[in-house]
PDB file of all heavy atoms in Angstrom:
ATOM      1  N   ALA A   1      13.101  59.250 -36.130  1.00  0.00           N
ATOM      2  CA  ALA A   1      11.924  58.804 -35.386  1.00  0.00           C
ATOM      3  C   ALA A   1      12.164  57.411 -34.708  1.00  0.00           C
ATOM      4  O   ALA A   1      11.806  57.142 -33.532  1.00  0.00           O
ATOM      5  CB  ALA A   1      10.652  58.776 -36.282  1.00  0.00           C
ATOM      6  N   ALA A   2      12.796  56.559 -35.465  1.00  0.00           N
ATOM      7  CA  ALA A   2      13.008  55.112 -35.082  1.00  0.00           C
ATOM      8  C   ALA A   2      13.982  55.169 -33.885  1.00  0.00           C
ATOM      9  O   ALA A   2      13.796  54.481 -32.863  1.00  0.00           O
ATOM     10  CB  ALA A   2      13.570  54.301 -36.179  1.00  0.00           C
ATOM     11  N   MET A   3      15.117  55.956 -33.940  1.00  0.00           N
ATOM     12  CA  MET A   3      16.074  56.018 -32.915  1.00  0.00           C
ATOM     13  C   MET A   3      15.557  56.743 -31.624  1.00  0.00           C
ATOM     14  O   MET A   3      15.909  56.417 -30.544  1.00  0.00           O
ATOM     15  CB  MET A   3      17.340  56.660 -33.350  1.00  0.00           C
ATOM     16  CG  MET A   3      18.075  55.915 -34.389  1.00  0.00           C
ATOM     17  SD  MET A   3      18.553  54.233 -33.738  1.00  0.00           S
ATOM     18  CE  MET A   3      19.862  54.625 -32.630  1.00  0.00           C
ATOM     19  N   THR A   4      14.607  57.670 -31.864  1.00  0.00           N
ATOM     20  CA  THR A   4      14.007  58.354 -30.722  1.00  0.00           C
ATOM     21  C   THR A   4      13.204  57.252 -29.875  1.00  0.00           C
ATOM     22  O   THR A   4      13.285  57.256 -28.642  1.00  0.00           O
ATOM     23  CB  THR A   4      13.078  59.454 -31.118  1.00  0.00           C
ATOM     24  OG1 THR A   4      13.814  60.446 -31.692  1.00  0.00           O
ATOM     25  CG2 THR A   4      12.350  60.072 -29.953  1.00  0.00           C
ATOM     26  N   ARG A   5      12.491  56.396 -30.563  1.00  0.00           N
ATOM     27  CA  ARG A   5      11.741  55.421 -29.871  1.00  0.00           C
ATOM     28  C   ARG A   5      12.676  54.380 -29.169  1.00  0.00           C
ATOM     29  O   ARG A   5      12.437  53.957 -28.019  1.00  0.00           O
ATOM     30  CB  ARG A   5      10.799  54.607 -30.844  1.00  0.00           C
ATOM     31  CG  ARG A   5       9.620  55.590 -31.357  1.00  0.00           C
ATOM     32  CD  ARG A   5       8.657  54.703 -32.101  1.00  0.00           C
ATOM     33  NE  ARG A   5       9.245  54.046 -33.310  1.00  0.00           N
ATOM     34  CZ  ARG A   5       9.275  54.652 -34.506  1.00  0.00           C
ATOM     35  NH1 ARG A   5       8.714  55.901 -34.769  1.00  0.00           N
ATOM     36  NH2 ARG A   5       9.766  53.998 -35.563  1.00  0.00           N
ATOM     37  N   ARG A   6      13.752  54.029 -29.842  1.00  0.00           N
ATOM     38  CA  ARG A   6      14.711  52.988 -29.365  1.00  0.00           C
ATOM     39  C   ARG A   6      15.553  53.517 -28.223  1.00  0.00           C
ATOM     40  O   ARG A   6      15.790  52.756 -27.230  1.00  0.00           O
ATOM     41  CB  ARG A   6      15.586  52.535 -30.532  1.00  0.00           C
ATOM     42  CG  ARG A   6      16.644  51.575 -30.105  1.00  0.00           C
ATOM     43  CD  ARG A   6      17.493  51.257 -31.331  1.00  0.00           C
ATOM     44  NE  ARG A   6      18.766  50.629 -30.894  1.00  0.00           N
ATOM     45  CZ  ARG A   6      19.791  50.419 -31.690  1.00  0.00           C
ATOM     46  NH1 ARG A   6      19.767  50.709 -32.936  1.00  0.00           N
ATOM     47  NH2 ARG A   6      20.865  49.797 -31.205  1.00  0.00           N
ATOM     48  N   VAL A   7      16.106  54.738 -28.351  1.00  0.00           N
ATOM     49  CA  VAL A   7      16.997  55.289 -27.372  1.00  0.00           C
ATOM     50  C   VAL A   7      16.299  55.839 -26.128  1.00  0.00           C
ATOM     51  O   VAL A   7      16.831  55.788 -25.088  1.00  0.00           O
ATOM     52  CB  VAL A   7      17.869  56.376 -27.991  1.00  0.00           C
ATOM     53  CG1 VAL A   7      18.943  56.840 -26.986  1.00  0.00           C
ATOM     54  CG2 VAL A   7      18.674  55.651 -29.253  1.00  0.00           C
ATOM     55  N   GLY A   8      15.140  56.335 -26.382  1.00  0.00           N
ATOM     56  CA  GLY A   8      14.467  56.947 -25.172  1.00  0.00           C
ATOM     57  C   GLY A   8      14.755  58.437 -25.029  1.00  0.00           C
ATOM     58  O   GLY A   8      14.268  59.051 -24.029  1.00  0.00           O
ATOM     59  N   VAL A   9      15.585  59.037 -25.911  1.00  0.00           N
ATOM     60  CA  VAL A   9      15.811  60.469 -25.948  1.00  0.00           C
ATOM     61  C   VAL A   9      15.549  60.957 -27.365  1.00  0.00           C
ATOM     62  O   VAL A   9      15.699  60.213 -28.361  1.00  0.00           O
ATOM     63  CB  VAL A   9      17.237  60.786 -25.499  1.00  0.00           C
ATOM     64  CG1 VAL A   9      17.529  60.336 -24.049  1.00  0.00           C
ATOM     65  CG2 VAL A   9      18.277  60.217 -26.420  1.00  0.00           C
ATOM     66  N   ARG A  10      15.257  62.260 -27.430  1.00  0.00           N
ATOM     67  CA  ARG A  10      14.871  62.794 -28.814  1.00  0.00           C
ATOM     68  C   ARG A  10      16.062  62.861 -29.751  1.00  0.00           C
ATOM     69  O   ARG A  10      17.119  63.394 -29.349  1.00  0.00           O
ATOM     70  CB  ARG A  10      14.171  64.065 -28.663  1.00  0.00           C
ATOM     71  CG  ARG A  10      13.912  64.737 -29.994  1.00  0.00           C
ATOM     72  CD  ARG A  10      12.939  65.941 -29.858  1.00  0.00           C
ATOM     73  NE  ARG A  10      12.894  66.826 -30.962  1.00  0.00           N
ATOM     74  CZ  ARG A  10      12.322  66.534 -32.181  1.00  0.00           C
ATOM     75  NH1 ARG A  10      11.685  65.385 -32.256  1.00  0.00           N
ATOM     76  NH2 ARG A  10      12.264  67.406 -33.123  1.00  0.00           N
ATOM     77  N   VAL A  11      15.898  62.243 -30.898  1.00  0.00           N
ATOM     78  CA  VAL A  11      16.892  62.533 -32.063  1.00  0.00           C
ATOM     79  C   VAL A  11      16.100  63.391 -32.987  1.00  0.00           C
ATOM     80  O   VAL A  11      15.152  62.920 -33.635  1.00  0.00           O
ATOM     81  CB  VAL A  11      17.319  61.197 -32.619  1.00  0.00           C
ATOM     82  CG1 VAL A  11      18.247  61.491 -33.808  1.00  0.00           C
ATOM     83  CG2 VAL A  11      17.966  60.338 -31.635  1.00  0.00           C
ATOM     84  N   GLU A  12      16.563  64.606 -33.152  1.00  0.00           N
ATOM     85  CA  GLU A  12      15.834  65.545 -33.978  1.00  0.00           C
ATOM     86  C   GLU A  12      16.191  65.467 -35.441  1.00  0.00           C
ATOM     87  O   GLU A  12      17.455  65.371 -35.778  1.00  0.00           O
ATOM     88  CB  GLU A  12      16.130  67.027 -33.484  1.00  0.00           C
ATOM     89  CG  GLU A  12      15.451  68.044 -34.295  1.00  0.00           C
ATOM     90  CD  GLU A  12      15.706  69.431 -33.802  1.00  0.00           C
ATOM     91  OE1 GLU A  12      15.850  69.609 -32.504  1.00  0.00           O
ATOM     92  OE2 GLU A  12      15.720  70.448 -34.542  1.00  0.00           O
ATOM     93  N   PRO A  13      15.224  65.337 -36.344  1.00  0.00           N
ATOM     94  CA  PRO A  13      15.617  65.321 -37.830  1.00  0.00           C
ATOM     95  C   PRO A  13      16.215  66.682 -38.283  1.00  0.00           C
ATOM     96  O   PRO A  13      15.664  67.714 -37.948  1.00  0.00           O
ATOM     97  CB  PRO A  13      14.303  65.046 -38.478  1.00  0.00           C
ATOM     98  CG  PRO A  13      13.285  65.484 -37.569  1.00  0.00           C
ATOM     99  CD  PRO A  13      13.827  65.248 -36.107  1.00  0.00           C
ATOM    100  N   LEU A  14      17.375  66.574 -38.958  1.00  0.00           N
ATOM    101  CA  LEU A  14      18.050  67.753 -39.520  1.00  0.00           C
ATOM    102  C   LEU A  14      18.735  67.295 -40.762  1.00  0.00           C
ATOM    103  O   LEU A  14      19.765  66.716 -40.767  1.00  0.00           O
ATOM    104  CB  LEU A  14      19.083  68.318 -38.504  1.00  0.00           C
ATOM    105  CG  LEU A  14      19.527  69.708 -38.729  1.00  0.00           C
ATOM    106  CD1 LEU A  14      18.483  70.742 -38.532  1.00  0.00           C
ATOM    107  CD2 LEU A  14      20.766  70.017 -37.847  1.00  0.00           C
ATOM    108  N   LEU A  15      18.032  67.529 -41.857  1.00  0.00           N
ATOM    109  CA  LEU A  15      18.429  67.032 -43.137  1.00  0.00           C
ATOM    110  C   LEU A  15      19.785  67.690 -43.596  1.00  0.00           C
ATOM    111  O   LEU A  15      20.169  68.732 -43.053  1.00  0.00           O
ATOM    112  CB  LEU A  15      17.352  67.200 -44.218  1.00  0.00           C
ATOM    113  CG  LEU A  15      16.031  66.561 -43.923  1.00  0.00           C
ATOM    114  CD1 LEU A  15      15.092  66.786 -45.095  1.00  0.00           C
ATOM    115  CD2 LEU A  15      16.277  65.075 -43.629  1.00  0.00           C
ATOM    116  N   GLN A  16      20.418  67.127 -44.608  1.00  0.00           N
ATOM    117  CA  GLN A  16      21.630  67.696 -45.073  1.00  0.00           C
ATOM    118  C   GLN A  16      21.292  69.054 -45.755  1.00  0.00           C
ATOM    119  O   GLN A  16      20.166  69.525 -45.746  1.00  0.00           O
ATOM    120  CB  GLN A  16      22.332  66.764 -45.969  1.00  0.00           C
ATOM    121  CG  GLN A  16      22.900  65.548 -45.297  1.00  0.00           C
ATOM    122  CD  GLN A  16      24.128  64.928 -45.887  1.00  0.00           C
ATOM    123  OE1 GLN A  16      24.937  65.705 -46.500  1.00  0.00           O
ATOM    124  NE2 GLN A  16      24.236  63.627 -45.834  1.00  0.00           N
ATOM    125  N   ALA A  17      22.200  69.775 -46.310  1.00  0.00           N
ATOM    126  CA  ALA A  17      22.051  71.141 -46.718  1.00  0.00           C
ATOM    127  C   ALA A  17      22.852  71.512 -47.958  1.00  0.00           C
ATOM    128  O   ALA A  17      23.596  70.648 -48.465  1.00  0.00           O
ATOM    129  CB  ALA A  17      22.367  72.043 -45.524  1.00  0.00           C
ATOM    130  N   THR A  18      22.630  72.799 -48.447  1.00  0.00           N
ATOM    131  CA  THR A  18      23.350  73.259 -49.520  1.00  0.00           C
ATOM    132  C   THR A  18      23.831  74.711 -49.290  1.00  0.00           C
ATOM    133  O   THR A  18      23.356  75.362 -48.355  1.00  0.00           O
ATOM    134  CB  THR A  18      22.460  73.262 -50.772  1.00  0.00           C
ATOM    135  OG1 THR A  18      23.223  73.576 -51.940  1.00  0.00           O
ATOM    136  CG2 THR A  18      21.288  74.194 -50.653  1.00  0.00           C
ATOM    137  N   ASP A  19      24.723  75.071 -50.080  1.00  0.00           N
ATOM    138  CA  ASP A  19      25.192  76.543 -50.005  1.00  0.00           C
ATOM    139  C   ASP A  19      24.687  77.347 -51.206  1.00  0.00           C
ATOM    140  O   ASP A  19      25.185  77.138 -52.335  1.00  0.00           O
ATOM    141  CB  ASP A  19      26.756  76.525 -49.970  1.00  0.00           C
ATOM    142  CG  ASP A  19      27.308  78.023 -49.830  1.00  0.00           C
ATOM    143  OD1 ASP A  19      26.527  78.889 -49.784  1.00  0.00           O
ATOM    144  OD2 ASP A  19      28.565  78.113 -49.918  1.00  0.00           O
ATOM    145  N   PRO A  20      23.604  78.042 -51.000  1.00  0.00           N
ATOM    146  CA  PRO A  20      23.065  78.867 -52.093  1.00  0.00           C
ATOM    147  C   PRO A  20      24.077  79.821 -52.791  1.00  0.00           C
ATOM    148  O   PRO A  20      23.765  80.235 -53.872  1.00  0.00           O
ATOM    149  CB  PRO A  20      21.905  79.672 -51.485  1.00  0.00           C
ATOM    150  CG  PRO A  20      21.573  78.922 -50.192  1.00  0.00           C
ATOM    151  CD  PRO A  20      22.946  78.339 -49.724  1.00  0.00           C
ATOM    152  N   ARG A  21      25.123  80.115 -52.158  1.00  0.00           N
ATOM    153  CA  ARG A  21      26.064  81.031 -52.786  1.00  0.00           C
ATOM    154  C   ARG A  21      26.878  80.329 -53.997  1.00  0.00           C
ATOM    155  O   ARG A  21      27.259  80.981 -54.863  1.00  0.00           O
ATOM    156  CB  ARG A  21      27.182  81.465 -51.774  1.00  0.00           C
ATOM    157  CG  ARG A  21      26.577  82.439 -50.754  1.00  0.00           C
ATOM    158  CD  ARG A  21      27.460  82.603 -49.482  1.00  0.00           C
ATOM    159  NE  ARG A  21      26.981  83.484 -48.553  1.00  0.00           N
ATOM    160  CZ  ARG A  21      25.917  83.228 -47.737  1.00  0.00           C
ATOM    161  NH1 ARG A  21      25.303  82.011 -47.738  1.00  0.00           N
ATOM    162  NH2 ARG A  21      25.467  84.175 -46.869  1.00  0.00           N
ATOM    163  N   ARG A  22      26.956  79.022 -53.883  1.00  0.00           N
ATOM    164  CA  ARG A  22      27.577  78.244 -55.004  1.00  0.00           C
ATOM    165  C   ARG A  22      26.558  77.548 -55.848  1.00  0.00           C
ATOM    166  O   ARG A  22      26.810  77.265 -56.973  1.00  0.00           O
ATOM    167  CB  ARG A  22      28.578  77.264 -54.426  1.00  0.00           C
ATOM    168  CG  ARG A  22      29.846  77.865 -53.811  1.00  0.00           C
ATOM    169  CD  ARG A  22      30.927  76.889 -53.809  1.00  0.00           C
ATOM    170  NE  ARG A  22      30.560  75.622 -53.309  1.00  0.00           N
ATOM    171  CZ  ARG A  22      30.503  75.221 -52.007  1.00  0.00           C
ATOM    172  NH1 ARG A  22      30.776  76.110 -51.103  1.00  0.00           N
ATOM    173  NH2 ARG A  22      30.115  74.058 -51.639  1.00  0.00           N
ATOM    174  N   PHE A  23      25.446  77.173 -55.216  1.00  0.00           N
ATOM    175  CA  PHE A  23      24.492  76.295 -55.926  1.00  0.00           C
ATOM    176  C   PHE A  23      23.148  77.046 -56.170  1.00  0.00           C
ATOM    177  O   PHE A  23      22.331  77.199 -55.231  1.00  0.00           O
ATOM    178  CB  PHE A  23      24.213  74.947 -55.195  1.00  0.00           C
ATOM    179  CG  PHE A  23      25.438  74.107 -55.058  1.00  0.00           C
ATOM    180  CD1 PHE A  23      26.265  74.144 -53.927  1.00  0.00           C
ATOM    181  CD2 PHE A  23      25.888  73.282 -56.047  1.00  0.00           C
ATOM    182  CE1 PHE A  23      27.333  73.383 -53.804  1.00  0.00           C
ATOM    183  CE2 PHE A  23      27.005  72.538 -55.995  1.00  0.00           C
ATOM    184  CZ  PHE A  23      27.720  72.577 -54.857  1.00  0.00           C
ATOM    185  N   HIS A  24      23.079  77.597 -57.366  1.00  0.00           N
ATOM    186  CA  HIS A  24      21.905  78.328 -57.732  1.00  0.00           C
ATOM    187  C   HIS A  24      21.748  78.255 -59.271  1.00  0.00           C
ATOM    188  O   HIS A  24      22.727  78.038 -59.933  1.00  0.00           O
ATOM    189  CB  HIS A  24      21.959  79.827 -57.229  1.00  0.00           C
ATOM    190  CG  HIS A  24      23.162  80.510 -57.708  1.00  0.00           C
ATOM    191  ND1 HIS A  24      23.260  81.230 -58.865  1.00  0.00           N
ATOM    192  CD2 HIS A  24      24.395  80.650 -57.100  1.00  0.00           C
ATOM    193  CE1 HIS A  24      24.489  81.685 -59.069  1.00  0.00           C
ATOM    194  NE2 HIS A  24      25.184  81.428 -57.941  1.00  0.00           N
ATOM    195  N   PRO A  25      20.569  78.562 -59.788  1.00  0.00           N
ATOM    196  CA  PRO A  25      20.315  78.435 -61.262  1.00  0.00           C
ATOM    197  C   PRO A  25      21.162  79.301 -62.161  1.00  0.00           C
ATOM    198  O   PRO A  25      21.294  78.966 -63.386  1.00  0.00           O
ATOM    199  CB  PRO A  25      18.767  78.651 -61.373  1.00  0.00           C
ATOM    200  CG  PRO A  25      18.247  78.374 -60.058  1.00  0.00           C
ATOM    201  CD  PRO A  25      19.259  78.796 -59.018  1.00  0.00           C
ATOM    202  N   ASP A  26      21.676  80.331 -61.604  1.00  0.00           N
ATOM    203  CA  ASP A  26      22.419  81.271 -62.469  1.00  0.00           C
ATOM    204  C   ASP A  26      23.805  80.868 -62.769  1.00  0.00           C
ATOM    205  O   ASP A  26      24.595  81.560 -63.531  1.00  0.00           O
ATOM    206  CB  ASP A  26      22.498  82.703 -61.835  1.00  0.00           C
ATOM    207  CG  ASP A  26      21.095  83.329 -61.709  1.00  0.00           C
ATOM    208  OD1 ASP A  26      20.208  82.945 -62.557  1.00  0.00           O
ATOM    209  OD2 ASP A  26      20.906  84.171 -60.839  1.00  0.00           O
ATOM    210  N   VAL A  27      24.256  79.733 -62.228  1.00  0.00           N
ATOM    211  CA  VAL A  27      25.686  79.285 -62.409  1.00  0.00           C
ATOM    212  C   VAL A  27      25.936  78.758 -63.833  1.00  0.00           C
ATOM    213  O   VAL A  27      27.061  78.718 -64.315  1.00  0.00           O
ATOM    214  CB  VAL A  27      26.041  78.175 -61.427  1.00  0.00           C
ATOM    215  CG1 VAL A  27      26.059  78.736 -60.014  1.00  0.00           C
ATOM    216  CG2 VAL A  27      25.132  77.038 -61.428  1.00  0.00           C
ATOM    217  N   ALA A  28      24.905  78.397 -64.555  1.00  0.00           N
ATOM    218  CA  ALA A  28      25.082  77.838 -66.012  1.00  0.00           C
ATOM    219  C   ALA A  28      23.734  77.898 -66.652  1.00  0.00           C
ATOM    220  O   ALA A  28      22.667  77.976 -66.081  1.00  0.00           O
ATOM    221  CB  ALA A  28      25.663  76.486 -65.924  1.00  0.00           C
ATOM    222  N   GLU A  29      23.846  77.716 -67.967  1.00  0.00           N
ATOM    223  CA  GLU A  29      22.567  77.491 -68.789  1.00  0.00           C
ATOM    224  C   GLU A  29      22.194  76.097 -68.819  1.00  0.00           C
ATOM    225  O   GLU A  29      23.055  75.174 -68.907  1.00  0.00           O
ATOM    226  CB  GLU A  29      22.829  78.025 -70.256  1.00  0.00           C
ATOM    227  CG  GLU A  29      23.062  79.528 -70.391  1.00  0.00           C
ATOM    228  CD  GLU A  29      21.827  80.248 -70.105  1.00  0.00           C
ATOM    229  OE1 GLU A  29      20.656  79.723 -70.423  1.00  0.00           O
ATOM    230  OE2 GLU A  29      21.908  81.307 -69.397  1.00  0.00           O
ATOM    231  N   PRO A  30      20.913  75.838 -68.569  1.00  0.00           N
ATOM    232  CA  PRO A  30      20.482  74.469 -68.612  1.00  0.00           C
ATOM    233  C   PRO A  30      20.565  73.734 -69.933  1.00  0.00           C
ATOM    234  O   PRO A  30      20.495  74.433 -70.963  1.00  0.00           O
ATOM    235  CB  PRO A  30      18.930  74.522 -68.129  1.00  0.00           C
ATOM    236  CG  PRO A  30      18.561  75.926 -68.590  1.00  0.00           C
ATOM    237  CD  PRO A  30      19.767  76.737 -68.399  1.00  0.00           C
ATOM    238  N   ASP A  31      20.774  72.423 -69.890  1.00  0.00           N
ATOM    239  CA  ASP A  31      20.859  71.578 -71.082  1.00  0.00           C
ATOM    240  C   ASP A  31      21.946  72.008 -72.105  1.00  0.00           C
ATOM    241  O   ASP A  31      21.843  71.809 -73.236  1.00  0.00           O
ATOM    242  CB  ASP A  31      19.436  71.571 -71.861  1.00  0.00           C
ATOM    243  CG  ASP A  31      18.337  71.202 -70.958  1.00  0.00           C
ATOM    244  OD1 ASP A  31      18.547  70.283 -70.180  1.00  0.00           O
ATOM    245  OD2 ASP A  31      17.261  71.810 -71.053  1.00  0.00           O
ATOM    246  N   THR A  32      23.009  72.533 -71.541  1.00  0.00           N
ATOM    247  CA  THR A  32      24.228  72.822 -72.365  1.00  0.00           C
ATOM    248  C   THR A  32      25.382  71.867 -72.096  1.00  0.00           C
ATOM    249  O   THR A  32      26.397  71.852 -72.739  1.00  0.00           O
ATOM    250  CB  THR A  32      24.682  74.254 -72.077  1.00  0.00           C
ATOM    251  OG1 THR A  32      25.011  74.392 -70.724  1.00  0.00           O
ATOM    252  CG2 THR A  32      23.682  75.281 -72.526  1.00  0.00           C
ATOM    253  N   GLY A  33      25.126  70.907 -71.188  1.00  0.00           N
ATOM    254  CA  GLY A  33      26.132  69.887 -70.846  1.00  0.00           C
ATOM    255  C   GLY A  33      25.741  68.468 -71.419  1.00  0.00           C
ATOM    256  O   GLY A  33      25.018  68.398 -72.370  1.00  0.00           O
ATOM    257  N   PRO A  34      26.271  67.493 -70.777  1.00  0.00           N
ATOM    258  CA  PRO A  34      25.984  66.127 -71.144  1.00  0.00           C
ATOM    259  C   PRO A  34      24.498  65.701 -70.997  1.00  0.00           C
ATOM    260  O   PRO A  34      23.850  66.312 -70.141  1.00  0.00           O
ATOM    261  CB  PRO A  34      26.883  65.262 -70.316  1.00  0.00           C
ATOM    262  CG  PRO A  34      27.130  66.053 -69.043  1.00  0.00           C
ATOM    263  CD  PRO A  34      27.121  67.534 -69.559  1.00  0.00           C
ATOM    264  N   GLN A  35      24.119  64.685 -71.699  1.00  0.00           N
ATOM    265  CA  GLN A  35      22.733  64.097 -71.468  1.00  0.00           C
ATOM    266  C   GLN A  35      22.554  63.704 -70.110  1.00  0.00           C
ATOM    267  O   GLN A  35      21.503  63.932 -69.419  1.00  0.00           O
ATOM    268  CB  GLN A  35      22.484  62.873 -72.416  1.00  0.00           C
ATOM    269  CG  GLN A  35      21.067  62.306 -72.206  1.00  0.00           C
ATOM    270  CD  GLN A  35      21.008  60.971 -72.941  1.00  0.00           C
ATOM    271  OE1 GLN A  35      21.957  60.430 -73.555  1.00  0.00           O
ATOM    272  NE2 GLN A  35      19.758  60.373 -72.883  1.00  0.00           N
ATOM    273  N   ALA A  36      23.562  63.012 -69.547  1.00  0.00           N
ATOM    274  CA  ALA A  36      23.501  62.612 -68.076  1.00  0.00           C
ATOM    275  C   ALA A  36      24.932  62.747 -67.425  1.00  0.00           C
ATOM    276  O   ALA A  36      25.864  62.551 -68.210  1.00  0.00           O
ATOM    277  CB  ALA A  36      22.981  61.143 -68.010  1.00  0.00           C
ATOM    278  N   LEU A  37      24.920  63.044 -66.155  1.00  0.00           N
ATOM    279  CA  LEU A  37      26.143  63.271 -65.444  1.00  0.00           C
ATOM    280  C   LEU A  37      26.123  62.486 -64.135  1.00  0.00           C
ATOM    281  O   LEU A  37      25.036  62.394 -63.493  1.00  0.00           O
ATOM    282  CB  LEU A  37      26.291  64.805 -65.102  1.00  0.00           C
ATOM    283  CG  LEU A  37      27.505  65.193 -64.196  1.00  0.00           C
ATOM    284  CD1 LEU A  37      28.790  65.009 -64.916  1.00  0.00           C
ATOM    285  CD2 LEU A  37      27.265  66.675 -63.828  1.00  0.00           C
ATOM    286  N   PHE A  38      27.269  61.861 -63.724  1.00  0.00           N
ATOM    287  CA  PHE A  38      27.353  61.259 -62.524  1.00  0.00           C
ATOM    288  C   PHE A  38      28.690  61.828 -61.903  1.00  0.00           C
ATOM    289  O   PHE A  38      29.694  61.726 -62.557  1.00  0.00           O
ATOM    290  CB  PHE A  38      27.390  59.714 -62.577  1.00  0.00           C
ATOM    291  CG  PHE A  38      27.606  59.067 -61.230  1.00  0.00           C
ATOM    292  CD1 PHE A  38      26.440  58.781 -60.466  1.00  0.00           C
ATOM    293  CD2 PHE A  38      28.819  58.785 -60.680  1.00  0.00           C
ATOM    294  CE1 PHE A  38      26.530  58.224 -59.183  1.00  0.00           C
ATOM    295  CE2 PHE A  38      29.013  58.173 -59.449  1.00  0.00           C
ATOM    296  CZ  PHE A  38      27.850  57.937 -58.697  1.00  0.00           C
TER     297      PHE A  38
END
């Protein structure tokens, strides 16, 4: 929104994304890993 106002042409928001084929809840059991992960 800020760059659209500044530049004078539309900059459309398009957020980042994920691949549901690899990232979905069935990949592992919850709370079976570390308390916190980075």
Side-chain angles (χ1 to χ4, degrees):
M3 290 304 287
T4 296
R5 293 190 297 269
R6 174 183 164 191
V7 178
V9 297
R10 175 168 166 73
V11 178
E12 180 177 328
L14 196 67
L15 301 183
Q16 295 210 33
T18 187
D19 180 4
R21 292 163 177 76
R22 289 202 315 277
F23 296 97
H24 55 84
D26 295 334
V27 292
E29 289 295 320
D31 303 322
T32 57
Q35 177 190 5
L37 173 69
F38 182 87

